[in-house]
């Protein structure tokens, strides 16, 4: 899903992974291609690893609040 790929992209940038040296996924690996493309898009924005981590954590918190049962 879009949320999965967005979290992946922010996570890879936050981990300071180098997109330029990452192997491209296979032609028929649709899920990995989407994740790779999102990582490329996030990295292309020039976001810092610290800001990517903040966005990742905020998305995770939003998801937790959205899907956690209410007491």
């Amino acid at each position: 899903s879009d949320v999965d790929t967005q979290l992946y992209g922010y996570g890879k940038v936050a981990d300071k992974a180098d997109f330029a040296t990452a192997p491209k996924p296979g032609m028929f690996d649709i899920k990995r291609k989407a994740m790779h493309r999102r990582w490329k898009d996030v990295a292309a924005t020039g976001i810092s690893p610290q800001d990517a981590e903040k966005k990742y954590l905020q998305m995770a918190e939003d998801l937790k609040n959205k899907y956690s049962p209410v007491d």
Side-chain angles (χ1 to χ4, degrees):
S1 77
D2 190 49
V3 173
D4 293 344
T5 60
Q6 199 167 10
L7 282 169
Y8 180 80
Y10 286 132
K12 293 297 272 187
V13 171
D15 283 342
K16 300 177 185 167
D18 185 8
F19 179 79
T21 61
K24 290 187 176 183
M27 184 165 60
F28 297 108
D29 193 349
I30 305 301
K31 174 87 173 163
R32 295 279 307 146
K33 284 180 82 169
M35 294 168 70
H36 188 79
R37 189 170 31 251
R38 180 58 69 133
W39 178 17
K40 177 183 176 184
D41 292 346
V42 171
T45 67
I47 191 170
S48 71
Q50 296 81 10
D51 288 342
E53 181 178 16
K54 288 176 188 174
K55 289 207 178 242
Y56 181 94
L57 292 172
Q58 184 60 55
M59 284 185 69
E61 185 67 26
D62 292 346
L63 288 169
K64 183 182 104 179
N65 291 336
K66 183 176 179 178
Y67 294 107
S68 291
V70 178
D71 292 333

